[in-house]
Amino acid sequence: MILGDLLGRAVHDSDGVKLGRVADARFVVDGAPQQLMAEARLLGLVVSPHSVSSFLGYERTGVTQPWPLPRMLRWRHRGSFLVMWEDIAVMGESVRLREGFTAYSPELVGGPE
Amino acid sequence: MKLVPVPPIAGRTLDAQLHLLDRQALDNDGVPVTTVDDLELSGPEPGTEIPEGTPAPVITALLTGPVLGTRIFGGRPPSSRLIRIPWKDVADVGVVIKLGVSGDSLDADWVERWIRDKIIARIPGGRHDPR
């Protein structure tokens, strides 16, 4: 599937309650090693309840400058969370999560600069 | 909603919007090839139930193509019109995406090569470096 079709789609829980929209997809480069870079596997989706997408990902980093932009953007993306691939039941016109999914912190660790 | 911290992850994490999409791709000589317009994943089939325990999909290719119109008016070009750069050709992801192959071997910059060979080369002096 093409990732662009997924970004911005509505995310529902198993009861059909809307949780937000797909703001981003997180990958981990730890798959089967290849000649240059290992395979990048889908770790999960970043879901944002208040906005369609995320601007520069301030809600995922600890950056505080330039004031007051990070504070404003973090407020705009408040309530964002990461759901792991294992908790996703359907990906298509909308995304449905499995019952009892875990909402992880969207904080980015181990990414490039 | 109580958020759980992400368990430690061994590999490097990449967020598609932050680290991959719209980044410039350079070939192994540092020559710009294209920008990344989209990504292709190995699965799942859109709209179908994902059985529990299914291995996570991986990025199969970086996609590029005629996306200007669809960026403005919405949608995306049909999948057949998108040009693929296989993920196995990607050498590094940083400020730019470095490819480990020569740009001449990729379909992504065929327009530039066509203009060079068919138009620029026919202009007097167009076949050598300016001095």
Side-chain angles (χ1 to χ4, degrees):
Chain A
M1 80 178 294
I2 289 177
L3 184 71
D5 295 348
L6 190 65
L7 299 173
R9 297 283 184 192
V11 179
H12 301 273
D13 69 6
S14 55
D15 300 326
V17 179
K18 189 174 170 185
L19 300 170
R21 286 173 183 277
V22 180
D24 210 339
R26 183 163 298 174
F27 295 90
V28 188
V29 187
D30 68 351
Q34 294 175 332
Q35 211 171 346
L36 297 164
M37 239 176 133
E39 279 186 335
R41 96 186 138 88
L42 182 71
L43 180 71
L45 301 175
V46 178
V47 181
S48 175
H50 300 285
S51 57
V52 180
S53 65
S54 163
F55 184 72
L56 299 179
Y58 275 105
E59 80 282 9
R60 286 171 250 169
T61 61
V63 178
T64 55
Q65 302 284 335
W67 185 88
L69 287 181
R71 283 188 74 156
M72 285 163 56
L73 291 165
R74 221 163 266 145
W75 175 80
R76 173 140 179 72
H77 303 308
R78 67 197 178 281
S80 293
F81 60 93
L82 175 77
V83 276
M84 296 293 185
W85 159 255
E86 292 76 20
D87 286 333
I88 299 170
V90 178
M91 279 193 333
E93 285 297 305
S94 69
V95 176
R96 203 177 77 230
L97 305 180
R98 293 189 203 282
E99 210 178 325
F101 72 92
T102 316
Y104 288 93
S105 155
E107 199 176 329
L108 194 57
V109 277
E113 291 305 305
Chain B
M1 191 163 21
K2 182 90 179 69
L3 295 183
V4 182
V6 178
I9 298 161
R12 185 176 176 196
T13 50
L14 298 173
D15 275 10
Q17 297 264 33
L18 299 185
H19 304 131
L20 297 168
L21 296 177
D22 293 334
R23 296 259 172 163
Q24 191 171 37
L26 306 183
D27 76 356
N28 60 352
D29 296 322
V31 178
V33 177
T34 182
T35 53
V36 180
D37 295 319
D38 217 327
L39 299 173
E40 191 170 53
L41 306 183
S42 61
E45 196 59 42
T48 55
E49 194 82 22
I50 303 164
E52 256 179 86
T54 310
V58 294
I59 302 177
T60 50
L62 313 178
L63 302 178
T64 183
V67 296
L68 177 65
T70 56
R71 284 277 171 100
I72 297 169
F73 298 109
R76 68 163 168 82
S79 174
S80 58
R81 294 289 311 279
L82 294 167
I83 296 164
R84 286 158 174 79
I85 300 172
W87 180 259
K88 65 177 170 53
D89 290 348
V90 176
D92 190 29
V93 178
V95 175
V96 294
I97 293 176
K98 290 189 185 134
L99 304 178
V101 293
S102 162
D104 284 342
S105 66
L106 299 169
D107 287 338
D109 53 357
W110 70 269
V111 179
E112 259 178 59
R113 284 204 301 274
W114 188 90
I115 291 173
R116 179 190 68 196
D117 297 342
K118 303 283 180 192
I119 299 173
I120 306 292
R122 291 180 188 183
I123 300 170
R127 286 178 189 269
H128 59 78
D129 285 338
R131 254 180 264 188

